[in-house]
């Protein structure tokens, strides 16, 4: 059974940093690209970042470029999102998601982890 | 504001057919395939339609997708109460070094 479990969310002050993790199981992690997608409270979905299986292709949304860094450790079946320079508008539930076919096609999602940026 | 435009809301009665539109441009819908996701309240999204009109295994054939030019549509026939959810279109956009873009979402209410 495919499972994606996010962790690392919490309350952080504006300008602070946080590192999200996503533990994957039930599939050969290294052969799948992964996305981070977020959803602000009461708002729609926003794609944040994409990383290919071997980490040689990475994309970021303009809203996080230069502040967030996506990475993965295929030996540990884990996906990461390092978030620096956090802003109020980064408050959201962050989902890790397995890519299927193409970057826009996600077949499995984690349960999400809440990041709250507030002073 | 998203580059993909969806109506914020839609509604229908049980058994009806409802259509949700997604309008884009030549750099996204006009040149790439469209996916649709369903998000039930309090849950993670679920892939509903991929590659414009393909249904993943397990998705009822009441759900169908289509695309013409720079617009796409999701149709739900035989509307059921459990279809009440938020629906999002998503596509790859070729502008600005490429990115994934979601529509703003449409909340479907079953009256």
């Amino acid at each position: 059974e495919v499972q994606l479990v996010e962790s690392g969310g919490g309350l952080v002050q504006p300008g602070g940093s946080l590192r999200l993790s996503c533990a994957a199981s039930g599939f050969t992690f290294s052969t799948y690209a992964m996305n981070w997608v977020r959803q602000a409270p009461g708002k729609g979905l926003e794609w944040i970042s994409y990383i290919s299986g071997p980490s040689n292709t990475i994309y970021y949304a303009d809203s996080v470029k230069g502040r967030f860094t996506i990475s993965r450790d295929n030996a540990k079946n884990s996906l990461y999102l390092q978030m620096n320079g956090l802003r109020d508008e980064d408050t959201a539930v962050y989902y890790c998601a397995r890519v299927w076919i193409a970057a826009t096609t996600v077949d499995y999602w984690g349960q999400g982890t809440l990041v709250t940026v507030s002073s | 504001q998203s580059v993909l435009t969806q109506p914020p809301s839609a509604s229908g009665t049980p058994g009806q057919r409802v259509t949700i539109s997604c309008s884009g441009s030549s750099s996204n819908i006009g040149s790439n395939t469209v996916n649709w996701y369903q998000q039930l309240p309090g849950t993670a999204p679920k892939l509903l339609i991929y590659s414009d009109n393909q249904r993943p295994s397990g998705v009822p054939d009441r759900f169908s997708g289509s695309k013409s030019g720079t617009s796409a549509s999701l149709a739900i026939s035989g509307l059921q109460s459990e279809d009440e959810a938020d629906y999002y279109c998503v596509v790859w956009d070729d502008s600005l070094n490429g990115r994934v873009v979601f529509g703003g979402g449409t909340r479907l209410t079953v009256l």
Side-chain angles (χ1 to χ4, degrees), chain A residues 6 9 18 23 27 33 37 39-40 48 50-51 54 61 63 72 74 76 89 93 98 101 103 106 112 115 117:
Chain A
E6 301 94 337
L18 213 54
F27 64 102
V37 177
Q39 187 168 35
I48 293 301
Y50 163 98
I51 186 168
S63 58
R72 63 191 296 161
N74 289 339
K76 294 183 177 179
E89 56 265 33
V93 172
R98 191 179 83 166
I101 300 176
V106 166
V115 172
V117 183

Side-chain angles (χ1 to χ4, degrees), chain B residues 2-41:
Chain B
S2 177
V3 298
L4 300 179
T5 301
Q6 296 182 238
S9 63
S11 63
T13 56
Q16 259 190 333
R17 184 177 187 271
V18 171
T19 300
I20 297 171
S21 63
C22 176
S23 178
S25 67
S26 59
S27 67
N28 44 66
I29 293 179
S31 52
N32 296 292
T33 59
V34 178
N35 300 332
W36 290 88
Y37 292 89
Q38 175 194 60
Q39 187 177 32
L40 298 171

Side-chain angles (χ1 to χ4, degrees), chain A residues 25-26 32-33 90 113:
Chain A
S25 61
Y32 285 86
D90 294 319
T113 186

Side-chain angles (χ1 to χ4, degrees), chain A residues 32-46:
Chain A
Y32 285 86
M34 300 292 292
N35 278 334
W36 283 102
V37 177
R38 70 182 179 185
Q39 187 168 35
K43 302 297 184 182
L45 299 170
E46 180 188 16

Side-chain angles (χ1 to χ4, degrees), chain A residues 6-10 20-21 36 92-96 110-116:
Chain A
E6 301 94 337
S7 61
L20 304 184
S21 299
W36 283 102
V93 172
Y94 285 73
Y95 295 100
C96 74
Q111 86 288 350
T113 186
L114 176 62
V115 172
T116 302

Side-chain angles (χ1 to χ4, degrees), chain A:
Chain A
E1 179 194 5
V2 172
Q3 283 198 317
L4 299 169
V5 180
E6 301 94 337
S7 61
L11 176 63
V12 61
Q13 292 187 338
S17 298
L18 213 54
R19 189 196 197 204
L20 304 184
S21 299
C22 172
S25 61
F27 64 102
T28 306
F29 180 68
S30 62
T31 63
Y32 285 86
M34 300 292 292
N35 278 334
W36 283 102
V37 177
R38 70 182 179 185
Q39 187 168 35
K43 302 297 184 182
L45 299 170
E46 180 188 16
W47 170 80
I48 293 301
S49 186
Y50 163 98
I51 186 168
S52 63
S55 302
N56 56 352
T57 301
I58 288 174
Y59 299 108
Y60 295 100
D62 289 344
S63 58
V64 305
K65 196 174 295 184
R67 300 188 299 125
F68 290 12
T69 302
I70 190 171
S71 63
R72 63 191 296 161
D73 185 335
N74 289 339
K76 294 183 177 179
N77 291 337
S78 293
L79 175 72
Y80 306 102
L81 186 68
Q82 177 66 44
M83 304 186 293
N84 299 330
L86 283 162
R87 306 167 180 166
D88 291 350
E89 56 265 33
D90 294 319
T91 294
V93 172
Y94 285 73
Y95 295 100
C96 74
R98 191 179 83 166
V99 171
W100 177 57
I101 300 176
T104 57
T105 314
V106 166
D107 59 352
Y108 286 94
W109 300 72
Q111 86 288 350
T113 186
L114 176 62
V115 172
T116 302
V117 183
S118 175
S119 54

